Amino acid sequence: MIINLEYVYYIAGLFMGFIAFLSFRDTTNPKRFLTGTFWGLFAISFLFGKLIPPMIMGVLVIAMALIAGIGGVRMGKHEQASEEQQEASARKMGNKLFIPALLIPVVTIVCSLGLKNVQIGGLYLLDSKNVTLVSLGVACVVALIVALSITKSKPVQSVKESRRLIDAIGWASVLPQMLATLGGLFAAAGVGKVISELVSSAIPVDNKFLVVVAYVVGMALFTMVMGNAFAAFPVMTAGIGIPLILQMHGGDAAVMAAIAMYSGYCGTLLTPMAANFNIVPAALLDLPKYDVIKAQVPTALILLTVNVFLMYFLVF
Amino acid sequence: MLTLIGVLIVIVGFALRFNPLIVVTVAGIATGLAGQLSMEKILTTFGESFVNNRYLSLFILTLPIIGLLERYGLKKQAQALISKVAVATTGRLLMVYLFIREAAAAVGLTAIGGHAQMVRPLVSPMAEAAAENKYGNLTEKVRNRIKSMSAATDNVGLFFGEDIFIAFGAILLMKGVYEENGIVVEPIHMALWGIPTAIAAFIIHGVRLYLLDKKLQKEAAANDNSNQNKSA
């Protein structure tokens, strides 16, 4: 393929490298060296992730966690446009300002649908296994170029502005990736088997309804702990779903999987562990940390109850 | 039993408000040791999984664009725009967004929306502006409620739309897990059986947005009354 997902990672790496450089130089930040090192290590994982031996990469990942843990990732000072400047500029630029923002989804969709199977000289134009992600990378580059030309800014300006946003999110920007990593360790250590034994000893497994409740609620709870329904699904399905619902009570596999995953998503709505959906947006919107989760609690709990009954009536 | 120690560490660590990155790292190492993996294997798993999951952090690529546009007044312009739309209430605006987000995700267009791309620059300022137009200045509490509902609407729309799309990761994951256990299922069937929950999610969250409008109205009326009482 011509445009590989790895190239998109290189762009992200160069960008984070620049952020690290700016952080090192920011004398208003009392922890500028630790902050710079944190973003620098993140940049390295994007640039050289495939080259560095996994074991050394593991050490670097733990080093990042330690820096964050001792409070080493701090905010610097940022020059910001005043409210008046923003208003004046908005009046001048008008709706043109929306164009680059809307270009991100539009170009992503056009590329992922339109260029999916395009080949040049026998090579796929876009990485065929990761079309959407590669398209997102292309879209961001296109949107940035358009944004720079509309606002007549230098590229450096955009990186400086984005450092304001990145500093506001802080170490939380790495949390989703760390959680997925934890899922890998849970799988390698065989956490699923233990859960199955535990559930079998806790509930009367010949009661269909209770087994469904255990699986649906278990998916939600385990997702809450793991922060990720993808990580919970293999564990709970191997532990409860397959042995008890499919094999013991003869349930339908397609129905079970679909509703189980959605039950996991109800858990995702409820947990700070799903940082990219719940904590990162709270930071982006200047909200108290748990406000997004609080807003989601009623929807999630009602829907989870609905899921229990949907699965009970549809799966058997 | 000992392998569940990681689960316990995560729960306790979060409850005690330790830094989540540290909690997750300690939980990972403890789980590995309890599962009798060597330290070498644990570090390798850390490194491999982190590198394989880099796509989860690609949202950072949108920040230079959003940051630049915000400097040039993106949020102000969104507010100016919604102030021209007379019929839009906060709840109705978010309902329209919920529908677009869920329907788009169901056909695989998850890139429409997102917190960094849509909610922060567009949806939340528009929802706030809709309330401001109707009720004047908002208290911080009301503003925060609208902001968090905007983010929640994005999540609900995305989550309960995307599993209907057959090429989405979740469907592929289900297929993979079943295959490892010797069960063969067509992806399209799992996608179709996601529809009842998807519809339920839209109805439940839609009703909550309708109630949000009612609540904003009621609070504004209460405020007016207390102001009148003060002046009288």
Side-chain angles (χ1 to χ4, degrees):
Chain A
M1 63 220 88
I2 297 169
I3 305 180
N4 192 310
L5 181 57
E6 209 59 31
Y7 299 161
V8 178
Y9 290 145
Y10 293 156
I11 298 174
L14 290 174
F15 167 51
M16 285 320 296
F18 201 15
I19 295 281
F21 172 72
L22 291 175
S23 301
F24 275 125
R25 290 200 345 179
D26 182 355
T27 47
T28 63
N29 181 349
K31 299 270 167 112
R32 65 190 169 117
F33 289 109
L34 283 175
T35 307
T37 307
F38 182 84
W39 297 125
L41 288 172
F42 198 29
I44 287 172
S45 80
F46 278 118
L47 289 171
F48 309 112
K50 282 277 173 223
L51 294 177
I52 296 174
M55 201 170 114
I56 297 181
M57 201 56 234
V59 175
L60 297 183
V61 170
I62 292 173
M64 285 176 76
L66 285 177
I67 293 176
I70 58 171
V73 186
R74 295 286 175 85
M75 262 189 110
K77 215 180 194 159
H78 303 283
E79 281 175 42
Q80 245 181 298
S82 69
E83 298 269 315
E84 291 76 32
Q85 278 173 322
Q86 288 182 32
E87 253 165 43
S89 154
R91 268 196 300 277
K92 205 175 108 205
M93 316 268 302
N95 290 335
K96 266 197 293 183
L97 279 170
F98 294 123
I99 296 172
L102 292 174
L103 271 178
I104 300 174
V106 169
V107 173
T108 306
I109 291 155
V110 169
C111 285
S112 48
L113 296 181
L115 302 179
K116 197 173 177 182
N117 296 315
V118 173
Q119 297 185 10
I120 298 176
L123 289 170
Y124 278 105
L125 179 61
L126 302 179
D127 190 336
S128 50
K129 275 190 232 128
N130 299 296
V131 178
T132 316
L133 293 171
V134 174
S135 303
L136 176 66
V138 172
C140 287
V141 173
V142 171
L144 181 61
I145 293 170
V146 173
L148 290 172
S149 67
I150 286 180
T151 60
K152 300 191 183 68
S153 314
K154 294 194 182 106
V156 179
Q157 185 69 42
S158 69
V159 180
K160 282 185 179 161
E161 292 297 331
S162 61
R163 194 165 76 93
R164 175 169 55 85
L165 300 177
I166 286 196
D167 266 3
I169 307 173
W171 52 259
S173 45
V174 188
L175 190 54
Q177 231 176 301
M178 280 300 280
L179 292 168
T181 305
L182 180 64
L185 274 153
F186 275 14
V191 172
K193 213 173 186 176
V194 183
I195 305 252
S196 162
E197 289 162 11
L198 218 61
V199 170
S200 305
S201 66
I203 60 166
V205 287
D206 47 355
N207 184 320
K208 281 183 187 178
F209 187 74
L210 283 182
V211 171
V212 166
V213 172
Y215 184 49
V216 168
V217 176
M219 264 305 289
L221 286 178
F222 216 68
T223 302
M224 285 177 72
V225 173
M226 311 271 283
N228 187 333
F230 282 24
F233 184 78
V235 176
M236 294 306 291
T237 303
I240 305 179
I242 292 174
L244 301 182
I245 295 183
L246 294 192
Q247 289 165 354
M248 191 177 215
H249 293 296
D252 181 279
V255 176
M256 188 185 91
I259 298 176
M261 190 60 91
Y262 272 160
S263 305
Y265 287 4
C266 290
T268 313
L269 292 174
L270 295 170
T271 176
M273 294 295 284
N276 52 336
F277 295 113
N278 298 333
I279 304 297
V280 172
L284 277 171
L285 292 167
D286 299 319
L287 284 168
K289 208 166 159 193
Y290 298 120
D291 266 26
V292 175
I293 295 176
K294 283 180 199 156
Q296 289 167 166
V297 169
T299 304
L301 291 183
I302 299 170
L303 192 57
L304 191 63
T305 313
V306 170
N307 272 344
V308 168
F309 288 99
L310 278 177
M311 187 176 302
Y312 182 68
F313 287 114
L314 295 176
V315 82
F316 298 119
Chain B
M1 256 334 266
L2 202 57
T3 41
L4 291 182
I5 191 152
V7 179
L8 188 73
I9 292 175
V10 168
I11 295 170
V12 173
F14 267 74
L16 295 178
R17 308 253 172 128
F18 288 127
N19 181 291
L21 291 188
I22 288 285
V23 173
V24 168
T25 307
V26 173
I29 294 173
T31 304
L33 290 176
Q36 283 167 352
L37 304 179
S38 67
M39 203 58 210
E40 201 182 333
K41 170 80 179 155
I42 294 173
L43 287 176
T44 306
T45 311
F46 259 105
E48 265 174 8
S49 302
F50 194 80
V51 167
N52 286 338
N53 286 297
R54 284 178 296 177
Y55 67 91
L56 285 168
S57 298
L58 279 182
F59 74 93
I60 57 170
L61 287 177
T62 64
L63 298 180
I65 302 144
I66 303 302
L68 194 64
L69 294 175
E70 285 191 359
R71 185 186 182 89
Y72 285 93
L74 182 73
K75 284 200 257 178
K76 300 287 170 201
Q77 185 59 22
Q79 287 157 3
L81 201 66
I82 193 70
S83 65
K84 289 181 194 150
V85 185
V87 289
T89 66
T90 302
R92 271 185 240 163
L93 183 91
L94 291 179
M95 256 185 255
V96 171
Y97 184 64
L98 176 67
F99 180 78
I100 295 172
R101 183 78 165 128
E102 194 169 341
V107 292
L109 306 181
T110 50
I112 284 188
H115 297 286
Q117 305 93 313
M118 276 296 243
V119 177
R120 156 121 187 181
L122 296 173
V123 177
S124 173
M126 284 171 81
E128 289 165 56
E132 268 168 2
N133 283 345
K134 262 195 126 111
Y135 311 117
N137 277 339
L138 307 175
T139 62
E140 199 193 335
K141 199 179 137 208
V142 173
R143 188 177 293 280
N144 282 354
R145 191 185 311 134
I146 295 173
K147 279 185 191 173
S148 39
M149 257 326 229
S150 305
T153 302
D154 187 87
N155 282 339
V156 172
L158 172 69
F159 290 2
F160 300 101
E162 65 185 3
D163 274 10
I164 296 173
F165 184 55
I166 36 173
F168 180 65
I171 301 282
L172 301 178
L173 176 75
M174 296 176 201
K175 188 178 160 61
V177 169
Y178 275 153
E179 266 169 16
E180 273 176 41
N181 290 282
I183 299 166
V184 180
V185 186
E186 277 298 315
I188 186 81
H189 289 146
M190 293 187 281
L192 289 176
W193 284 111
I195 292 176
T197 305
I199 293 172
F202 182 80
I203 294 172
I204 293 166
H205 201 70
V207 169
R208 288 194 59 217
L209 292 172
Y210 174 78
L211 295 175
L212 175 71
D213 264 353
K214 291 272 163 250
K215 195 168 175 184
L216 289 175
Q217 205 173 3
K218 215 167 150 188
E219 280 173 353
N223 261 342
D224 277 356
N225 281 339
S226 66
N227 285 344
Q228 275 165 11
N229 289 344
K230 264 179 223 158
S231 58

